Amino acid sequence: MRRRRLHRAVFAAAGAYNIAWGAYAALDAQWLFRFAGMPLQNHPQIFTTLGMVLALYGVLYLDVALRPERGFLIAAVGLAGKIFGPLGWLWLFSSGQWPISSGILVVTNDLVWWIPFVVYLVDAWPNWWRDTRAVEGLRDSGDA
């Protein structure tokens, strides 16, 4: 796989970051609201749950770091979240519900990862495609 060492480092960093961010969000569910000067949440459990989910993404990213040849789908789903998350934030910001300062969430959790994830997906695509075709070939031959 092209740039294997780079991809391992990126996903190890993404895994560690997500686990740390998720743990912090779970422990201090109001931090973003305090930071951005927004009213505190009535139901901080929602942000706590978000933190737990992002920490679990971190575990999956560590798996990609261990086996980058087999992490295409995990990274693709991760990138989708890193695209849809900012779109949701853009709606909250443009509708006046969240201030620009809340955008720190988008910058650190999403935007900084776009290029490394896309580069990985381009490099991992041939392995994923080959594996997919091999499984289809087994299924067609009756072995699967």
Side-chain angles (χ1 to χ4, degrees), residues 96-112:
Q97 296 179 58
W98 280 20
I100 191 76
S101 57
S102 66
I104 189 71
L105 195 64
V106 171
V107 172
T108 59
N109 281 5
D110 303 310
L111 299 182
V112 299

Side-chain angles (χ1 to χ4, degrees), residues 34-56:
R34 286 192 311 273
F35 174 84
M38 297 186 291
L40 297 182
Q41 301 178 79
N42 291 332
H43 302 285
Q45 302 88 342
I46 295 170
F47 207 74
T48 297
T49 302
L50 174 65
M52 290 186 292
V53 169
L54 289 178
L56 290 173

Side-chain angles (χ1 to χ4, degrees), residues 3-18 61-62 64-65 75 82 112-120:
R3 295 181 277 256
R4 186 176 198 277
R5 184 178 296 167
L6 171 66
H7 298 316
R8 291 191 73 195
V10 163
F11 281 93
Y17 173 83
N18 271 53
Y61 294 154
L62 291 178
V64 176
K82 292 176 184 315
V112 299
W113 301 105
W114 281 5
I115 291 173
F117 274 50
V118 167
V119 170
Y120 168 77

